[in-house]
Amino acid sequence: MISTKSILLTSALILQLSGPPSKNTTVESIAAVSNKKLEVYTTAENSNLRLSLSNDLISNKSAANATVFIEINPDKTFQTFLGIGGAITDASAEVFAKLPADKQQEFLTAYYDKNKGIGYSLARTTIHSCDFSSESYTYVREGDKELKTFSIDHDRKYRIPLLKKAIENAGGKLTLFVSPWSPPAFMKDNNDILNGGILLPEFAQSWADYYAKFIKEYEKEGIPIWGLTIQNEPMAKQRWESCIYTPEAERDFLKNFLGPTLEKDGLGSKKIIIWDHNRGDMLEKRAQLVFSDPEVSKYAWGIGFHWYETWNGGTPKFESVAKVHETFPNKNLIFTEGCIEKFDASKYQFWVNAERYGLNMINDFNNGTVGWTDWNILLDQKGGPNHVGNFCFAPIHADTNSGQLIYTPMYYYIGHFSKFIRPDAKRINETVSNKKLLSTSFKNPDGKTATIIMNQEDKGIVYAITINSQKYTITIPAHAMQTLVY
């Protein structure tokens, strides 16, 4: 068994600088030195532990010292796992292009290599511009209803090269879905790609054709498209690219235009995701309206959601995710976007930001979610670029002046899931005796199980976990995330 102390001695400098997981913390390098049936990986505040093998936290003492008890029941299974990843936006691609070649490769390895990095397997990208682009643009000339001028040349400079490199570093496969923020200005009632507005009825077919053209052009570039959302945040009038769809308008566009058009163009296998906005009552309303109508439900793979329902000071509406899953168990739930808003460089290492990720991911998975997609995978030292100044955090930032990468705690917390839960895993049943700890468990296709546990308390907690009739007593430090692999 490799000791926690030896890991700290060899990797302390890298981890103090919030660098990527060191060689000592990769599954590949650990396999040769650990024959344990159970491996514990830990990330903790006020320590050098970052996705570190930490089997020294397994105690020889009895469970009598534990204050929380967890029991794993692998015989009861739930949803099939799709993947975890982030959005490859124009902003991310533009910042990536400014990095030195060695830092570009470090970045790609950190996200997409499942052994040396955290193994992202899911991605999102935009259909033309969003706020995280340096400028607004579309793929056609203004007024071109027939889409004769359609071209993705804009994306060939930055975004397409990064997407190709991400796919390559993910082992040749990356589940990618795409989302539009707005139709071109001439297709909307406000004649503006920004500031909301609605799709004019006379352009509904042209807009549906636009999705199909985008998918086909990207696939000609060797970038497979797995699925798409109909509209990013369809109830938000934003000062950036945005478009409003009532529940009925989204349903009718899918039923009468987008669904039939994709089928006609040989794209009927693409997964269509409705809503793509916040949890809450509207999530349930959209699901009810679409999934209860067989004529439109046949086109919808599932429903996507964000976490920004807390903007008005409320709490996350995890119960709405649970209700949709309970009501429509044959439809899929996918988290399509979340980020820490209001960028502040003094908070790169602000631990609460990471805990927001852990809280949301554990609850979403436990309520039936199959995939989880972060927002921008990379931003600069200002939280951009963003053409309207809507600067945010990403798990990794780049200082484009020095060429250095800045790894935030969010990167490591996400990694506790994405590195150890692999596509096609099955969530399994577990019981936790005390809400001081949050937990979720998945059994991977290779037979190994990953249990992710989070402690938000100000002190360490001793817990006992029962796995296949064998009990382990483990300590999780204060403000920490652990993944148990067995």
Side-chain angles (χ1 to χ4, degrees):
M1 180 180 78
I2 189 169
S3 71
T4 305
K5 288 183 180 178
S6 67
I7 291 171
L8 297 183
L9 287 172
T10 56
S11 60
L13 178 60
I14 292 175
L15 296 177
Q16 279 181 333
L17 295 174
S18 296
S22 68
K23 183 178 179 181
N24 298 69
T25 63
T26 68
V27 174
E28 184 178 48
S29 60
I30 287 167
V33 296
S34 177
N35 294 315
K36 282 278 184 181
K37 292 182 179 179
L38 175 71
E39 293 175 342
V40 179
Y41 299 86
T42 305
T43 297
E45 188 180 25
N46 300 321
S47 79
N48 289 321
L49 295 171
R50 299 291 185 272
L51 280 170
S52 302
L53 182 66
S54 44
N55 283 354
D56 284 0
L57 294 173
I58 303 174
S59 173
N60 293 323
K61 296 178 181 179
S62 72
N65 297 293
T67 57
V68 179
F69 298 87
I70 301 172
E71 186 166 354
I72 305 298
N73 176 14
D75 296 330
K76 186 173 183 181
T77 62
F78 302 97
Q79 76 269 26
T80 300
F81 182 74
L82 176 67
I84 291 171
I88 298 176
T89 57
D90 287 324
S92 296
E94 290 168 28
V95 175
F96 177 83
K98 294 178 181 179
L99 290 171
D102 61 332
K103 289 297 178 181
Q104 287 185 345
Q105 188 54 58
E106 178 189 319
F107 172 82
L108 292 166
T109 298
Y111 268 128
Y112 296 103
D113 191 302
K114 66 181 180 181
N115 292 318
K116 299 176 183 177
I118 61 172
Y120 269 11
S121 55
L122 184 62
R124 183 192 194 199
T125 199
T126 66
I127 298 177
H128 58 236
S129 65
C130 69
D131 52 326
F132 280 93
S133 302
S134 291
E135 61 182 353
S136 295
Y137 66 92
T138 70
Y139 301 125
V140 295
R141 292 178 185 169
E142 192 66 12
D144 179 12
K145 182 178 181 179
E146 303 301 321
L147 311 183
K148 293 179 180 178
T149 59
F150 191 95
S151 171
I152 59 168
D153 280 349
H154 175 281
D155 298 358
R156 291 192 171 96
K157 186 174 183 181
Y158 296 121
R159 185 150 41 116
I160 286 174
L162 178 53
L163 279 161
K164 289 181 176 180
K165 289 176 181 177
I167 293 168
E168 179 185 355
N169 282 268
K173 181 182 179 182
L174 194 60
T175 299
L176 176 66
F177 67 97
V178 302
S179 305
W181 264 241
S182 172
F186 70 89
M187 295 187 183
K188 297 168 65 181
D189 70 335
N190 64 344
N191 197 34
D192 188 355
I193 194 172
L194 316 178
N195 300 306
I198 63 172
L199 176 67
L200 291 167
E202 59 265 35
F203 291 104
Q205 184 57 58
S206 182
W207 184 225
D209 292 337
Y210 200 102
Y211 295 76
K213 281 185 174 291
F214 175 83
I215 292 170
K216 287 181 176 180
E217 289 301 308
Y218 258 59
E219 294 197 331
K220 284 180 185 176
E221 293 289 326
I223 301 173
I225 306 298
W226 168 85
L228 64 155
T229 72
I230 298 172
Q231 168 65 41
N232 178 73
E233 298 183 348
M235 289 300 288
K237 179 183 178 181
Q238 308 281 24
R239 53 194 172 89
W240 52 85
E241 288 84 342
S242 47
C243 184
I244 304 298
Y245 285 80
T246 65
E248 293 77 15
E250 184 181 32
R251 175 200 63 192
D252 293 347
F253 179 66
L254 173 58
K255 180 179 180 179
N256 299 322
F257 297 98
L258 185 58
T261 296
L262 293 181
E263 280 198 344
K264 174 180 64 70
D265 286 0
L267 302 172
S269 64
K270 305 305 178 186
K271 310 299 191 260
I272 301 177
I273 300 163
I274 65 169
W275 185 225
D276 196 10
H277 207 162
N278 297 333
R279 305 185 193 96
D281 294 342
M282 188 56 69
L283 177 72
E284 299 171 54
K285 184 173 182 178
R286 296 268 170 159
Q288 186 69 38
L289 191 69
V290 172
F291 298 157
S292 295
D293 182 344
E295 290 304 307
V296 65
S297 181
K298 66 183 181 180
Y299 296 121
W301 171 85
I303 187 166
F305 60 93
H306 301 182
W307 72 14
Y308 309 114
E309 72 272 12
T310 57
W311 274 2
N312 59 7
T315 57
K317 303 294 184 183
F318 299 126
E319 65 277 7
S320 67
V321 178
K323 287 178 182 176
V324 170
H325 180 60
E326 180 181 346
T327 307
F328 302 101
N330 294 323
K331 292 296 183 180
N332 298 281
L333 284 146
I334 180 171
F335 183 87
T336 48
E337 184 187 316
C339 73
I340 303 297
E341 315 90 336
K342 298 179 181 178
F343 178 76
D344 178 351
S346 69
K347 293 186 176 180
Y348 276 136
Q349 305 305 321
F350 191 48
W351 210 261
V352 171
N353 289 348
E355 291 183 332
R356 182 177 177 186
Y357 275 80
L359 173 72
N360 279 267
M361 295 178 81
I362 289 173
N363 278 281
D364 285 338
F365 286 131
N366 285 345
N367 285 315
T369 299
V370 302
W372 214 92
T373 324
D374 186 35
W375 191 206
N376 302 277
I377 57 171
L378 177 68
L379 293 172
D380 65 17
Q381 67 273 22
K382 298 178 182 178
N386 185 293
H387 70 83
V388 292
N390 182 34
F391 302 123
C392 299
F393 279 98
I396 302 177
H397 285 259
D399 185 326
T400 56
N401 295 320
S402 67
Q404 295 302 305
L405 294 172
I406 303 160
Y407 294 77
T408 74
M410 298 179 288
Y411 167 82
Y412 298 100
Y413 266 49
I414 296 170
H416 274 274
F417 300 84
S418 61
K419 185 176 181 69
F420 300 105
I421 309 171
R422 303 309 303 163
D424 296 321
K426 286 277 190 181
R427 187 169 68 87
I428 60 175
N429 189 54
E430 59 174 39
T431 56
V432 183
S433 68
N434 192 307
K435 292 183 179 179
K436 287 183 178 180
L437 295 182
L438 298 176
S439 180
T440 191
S441 294
F442 284 81
K443 187 172 184 178
N444 284 301
D446 66 1
K448 284 196 172 184
T449 297
T451 293
I452 296 91
I453 299 168
M454 186 171 79
N455 177 18
Q456 294 175 274
E457 301 289 311
D458 292 332
K459 60 182 180 179
I461 293 175
V462 178
Y463 63 95
I465 183 166
T466 302
I467 304 166
N468 297 325
S469 301
Q470 187 164 357
K471 188 168 288 186
Y472 299 88
T473 304
I474 302 170
T475 298
I476 182 170
H479 296 286
M481 182 76 85
Q482 283 183 335
T483 300
L484 279 54
V485 181
Y486 49 91

